[in-house]
Amino acid sequence: MNPDALRGHMDALLLSVLEEKPLHGYAIIEALQERSGGALSVPTGTVYPALRRLERIGHLSSEWATVGGRRRRTYRLTDSGRKQLQGERSAWREFSTVIGSVLRAEPADASRAVS
């Protein structure tokens, strides 16, 4: 998948993956790949800065945990993050509806057509 297609959607993807349960960074990357059927292969250099930014603005919290004998930072969705995710989903539905209308090349409402 073209990495440019993800631009502007990374926050929603990360928040969505963390909705079910807390995960460490590498597990988040694996979840994105799994949930996308292998279409998303997001580099760590993209994910970790986004996670830190989402934590700074209060949508995520984190704590250190030992996973498989290794210390890893585990990220958890906050109430603010859940609210943001709802907004992201709503915006995505609106965006995909509008873009879908344009790509179908059919007028959205024939009664509004201008002659």
Side-chain angles (χ1 to χ4, degrees), residues 95-115:
F95 175 80
S96 62
T97 297
V98 169
I99 297 302
S101 295
V102 172
L103 292 177
R104 281 192 300 275
E106 299 171 7
D109 185 352
S111 67
R112 295 189 318 187
V114 178
S115 342

Side-chain angles (χ1 to χ4, degrees), residues 42-58:
V42 185
T44 58
T46 299
V47 172
Y48 286 106
L51 290 170
R52 286 191 294 274
R53 184 178 43 74
L54 287 168
E55 185 175 20
R56 247 188 340 272
I57 60 177

Side-chain angles (χ1 to χ4, degrees), residues 24 61-67 70-75:
H24 59 82
S61 63
S62 70
E63 58 190 29
W64 286 101
T66 302
V67 179
R70 296 179 66 189
R71 251 174 75 87
R72 296 185 178 175
R73 185 170 288 281
T74 301
Y75 296 89

